[in-house]
Amino acid sequence: MSEIDQRRQRLTGARFYAIVDTGYVPLRRILAVTGDLVRGGVDLIQLRAKKQTEEEITSLGHAMRTVIKSDGPLFILNDHPHLVPIIEADGVHVGQDDLSVAEARTRAGTDVLVGKSTHSLEQAIAAEREGPDYIGVGPIYKTGTKPDYVPVGPGLIAQVAAAVRVPQFCIGGINEQTLPEVLVAGAKRIVIVSALLLSEDIPAYCRRVREQIETIPL
Ligand code: TZP
Ligand code: MG
C-alpha cells in the first residue's frame, strides 16, 4: 500500500486528536507533554505554534518526531506546509484564511494528509469540494484557545455529518464534561486542546476521554 493510503487508513480509524499548542505548553515541556499524549493513546497529535519562528518550529517538529514513532499517532503540523517534509510529519492542517487544500498539498508533498478548519455548514460543504483528508468543525463551544470565534453549537455536528462524507473532527471547548453532549449530538471524532494540556495527569485524562468516545461506534 502507498504511503498516503496507509496514512488515510490510519486516519479513517482515528477518533481522538490532540493539539500541542505552544500557547499552553512552555517550550521546555513540549516533549514531555507529547510523550504523555502518546502514552495516553491519542490518534493524532498536531503541533500548533502560532508565535514561533520557522526555525523554532522546525526544531520543535524534529524533536516531536523522535517521540512520535511511525507506529504511534499521526503527526500533523499546523500551517507551514513546506516544513512538513523537513520534519517528516504525516500531514498539515490549514485554516479558512490559509492556503487552499491543493496548494497545501503541493507544498507539503503528495503523500501526506491535509486537514482544513471549517466554522459553518457552508464552509464544511465548500471544504469537502477542495478534497482534504479531514475537516475540523467548530468551535462547538466558546473557547479561550480561539477567543474571537463565535461558537457554532453542538447542533451543527449532525447537519455537517448529513451533508459531507469526509471525516469530521469536532473541536472547541470539548472536555470530559462537555463530551457527553458532543457525542449525543452525533460527533464520532473529536479534538481537545486546553482541557488536555492543562490536566494534571494527561495519560489518565486521555484514557477517560477514549472510554467515553468508544461508547459510540464509528
Ligand atoms: N479551532 C477551532 S476551536 C479551536 C481551534 C484550533 C481551539 C480548540 O481549543 P480547546 O482548548 O480544546 O477549546
Ligand atoms: Mg492556520
Side-chain angles (χ1 to χ4, degrees):
M1 205 194 295
S2 69
E3 198 151 29
I4 182 68
D5 286 341
Q6 284 181 43
R7 287 178 168 130
R8 286 190 175 130
Q9 190 176 56
R10 289 164 70 196
L11 182 68
T12 302
R15 315 284 310 265
F16 185 9
Y17 190 156
I19 298 182
V20 176
D21 185 325
T22 58
Y24 288 105
V25 187
L27 299 190
R28 63 184 160 76
R29 296 214 58 241
I30 295 274
L31 290 192
V33 166
T34 304
D36 282 346
L37 292 167
V38 171
R39 267 190 298 287
V42 302
D43 301 310
L44 297 101
I45 298 179
Q46 179 187 122
L47 170 60
R48 184 172 189 260
K50 291 289 180 189
K51 300 232 164 96
Q52 276 66 41
T53 63
E54 295 207 329
E55 287 71 29
E56 287 171 316
I57 292 169
T58 304
S59 119
L60 282 173
H62 278 308
M64 283 174 72
R65 182 79 269 184
T66 66
V67 177
I68 306 171
K69 309 287 185 211
S70 55
D71 61 347
L74 290 160
F75 179 31
I76 309 291
L77 181 64
N78 189 289
D79 299 330
H80 313 285
H82 62 288
L83 298 183
V84 164
I86 295 170
I87 65 168
E88 297 180 67
D90 296 296
V92 65
H93 186 92
V94 293
Q96 285 289 318
D97 301 330
D98 301 326
L99 298 172
S100 68
V101 169
E103 187 61 28
R105 235 184 249 297
T106 303
R107 297 195 193 184
T110 50
D111 56 350
V112 300
L113 302 169
V114 178
K116 176 145 182 156
S117 299
T118 70
H119 314 297
S120 66
L121 179 61
E122 295 70 29
Q123 286 182 3
I125 292 168
E128 182 174 56
R129 295 206 182 108
E130 284 189 59
D133 295 294
Y134 72 87
I135 60 170
V137 178
I140 305 300
Y141 303 104
K142 187 141 188 60
T143 171
T145 309
K146 271 207 169 178
D148 302 339
Y149 281 67
V150 181
V152 298
L156 183 66
I157 297 171
Q159 291 178 36
V160 172
V164 307
R165 298 188 53 134
V166 64
Q168 304 127 49
F169 285 86
C170 299
I171 181 167
I174 301 179
N175 55 45
E176 271 190 283
Q177 284 70 40
T178 59
L179 185 54
E181 184 179 55
V182 173
L183 295 173
V184 166
K188 306 282 192 197
R189 300 179 168 90
I190 58 118
V191 187
I192 304 183
V193 189
S194 53
L196 206 45
L197 299 178
L198 301 176
S199 81
E200 272 184 16
D201 184 339
I202 292 177
Y205 200 101
C206 289
R207 283 179 215 119
R208 293 196 300 274
V209 165
R210 161 88 53 198
E211 255 174 51
Q212 282 202 51
I213 298 172
E214 287 183 350
T215 62
I216 308 289
L218 242 188

